[in-house]
Amino acid sequence: MSDTVPTSTSLKDIYPEDAIPIQQRRWEHLLASFEQEYEHKAEFVSRSPGRVNIIGEHIDYSLYEALPMAVTADLLLAISVDESSSKVSIANTHTSKFPTRTFDVPSTDDVEIDTSNHEWVNYFKSGLRGAIQLLRKKRQATDGFSPVGMKILVDGTVPSGGGLSSSAAFVCASALAVLRANGEEKIDKKELVELAIVSERAVGVHSGGLDQSASVLALRGSALYVSFKPKLHARAVEFPSTTPEMTFLIAQSFVAADKQATAPACYNLRVAECSLAAEVLAKKLGLTRALPKDAAPLEVSLRGLHDTYFEEIEGLANNDDTSASEFKKQLEKLVNLTKDALTQENGYTRQEMSSILGISEDQLTKRYLSKFPVRADRFLLRQRALHVYTEAIRVLDLMNLLTSPPSHDESLLQALGGILNETQNSCRDVYDCSCPELDELCLLARKAGAYGSRLTGAGWGGCSVHLVAQDKVDAVRQSWEKNYYRKRFPEITDEKLAEAVVISKPGSGSSIFKVTGINVV
């Protein structure tokens, strides 16, 4: 896996062959629209894709592994550089929904982002802010740094609120564009991922690292096994050939899941519950060592609790060196410990948690519940920890199936599908991040012959992913059209229906496209 973001001059380096005709028309329209908007040609295009997560849902911010893959849908920023100013003009091809904005980039202060205003340009600003901070740090020992001005036109095919991480694609593409515009020719992939993870939090979301890793590090034709401890690492994973051929279908619920807008009662609340579960478990299990400060959004994680428990109580020197089989046994033990220690199934109040932790309610709120707004009276620590630990087990089980598949393809497909179904059950019943529409899509798919079905992404709407044999794809599509899309959306157009369901093929990660003329292929 190359360490630097690739630069290309042909769409053939970016997309699969069957996508080229549609993408060629789209890119030519983007570049022509840029010239019409700004009366000069774009110099380069920054691109980052969306992603679908196969397994490992809502556990990246607890620093457990996941298996995502990039999709063909992506976010494009056509760019020209103005070295004579620090003014940014950013427009969108969908002007009615995303109005044009212009602002100056401060020479020394951070870029201001108003998280109370859910403005589309905030995602660009968060990538800009992180990139500028990195450039100032890199260049402070040499000639200093003054940011350049930019003209930008954005076009995206990752549906907003669709569960395929349009936000991470936007932030990654934005940070990449700013780095390149300011003279960075070789951009380290892992550095870009780490920058984007922290940058997206400036929008008001406790993001983990799964989405950014998949967007930047992905390789066409492969999924990614992403780990976050002891450091960010990703390796390509290929699915074995089977008869019948396995495919992954992505189906949109058309229930918008705006992670930023709903964060206080949904995504950010789950992040806080997981960190609080780790702290409360540490007290309940009698740990004397403080949990380590780590890369989790609130700097303490269930993975940190995991490692500390086995290093302190069971005397392991370094749990990072534990084999996968032993690690699974540890997780199984943690499931039982969690059930025994966190007995309040109706959740814990702020007062109850602060009493367990030996701190005041004000201290608890300041430490865990004030970085971003969180709305809850009771915190379901038991359920959140149980989901995280069982989902981490499912990731290990699925990876074991891929590396040591059973001799019969049908057995492999049924086992893989069973794991996806278990994840959906946990997301619905334990983590409370599904919704009736996603549940219905999954049920219909299974009845029509899918091996496994589950939500993908943050949940509460968005998309679902389904493991389906190639010879069952039409049956699943027809069931959804008849029993879901036509019933719930009687006025749905054929064009919208075609967008609702796609076969997902692992796509390529972030790249820079150098504009050399009118030919993009």
Side-chain angles (χ1 to χ4, degrees), residues 265-283:
C266 297
Y267 191 89
N268 285 347
L269 174 58
R270 294 299 179 276
V271 173
E273 286 176 317
C274 287
S275 288
L276 284 164
E279 295 280 33
V280 171
L281 272 171
K283 291 291 186 182

Side-chain angles (χ1 to χ4, degrees), residues 84-142:
S84 66
S85 79
S86 59
K87 186 179 293 293
V88 169
S89 295
I90 180 167
N92 196 294
T93 54
H94 303 284
T95 52
S96 59
K97 188 175 181 180
F98 305 109
T100 299
R101 296 287 184 253
T102 301
F103 59 91
D104 288 309
V105 182
S107 57
T108 56
D109 296 330
D110 283 338
V111 176
E112 289 190 10
I113 300 173
D114 181 4
T115 58
S116 66
N117 180 16
H118 300 147
E119 163 78 6
W120 77 279
V121 79
N122 282 356
Y123 291 100
F124 173 78
K125 285 184 174 180
S126 68
L128 170 69
R129 179 177 179 170
I132 287 178
Q133 288 172 344
L134 176 64
L135 289 167
R136 284 175 181 154
K137 183 178 178 180
K138 278 186 170 185
R139 300 182 187 179
Q140 64 182 359
T142 55

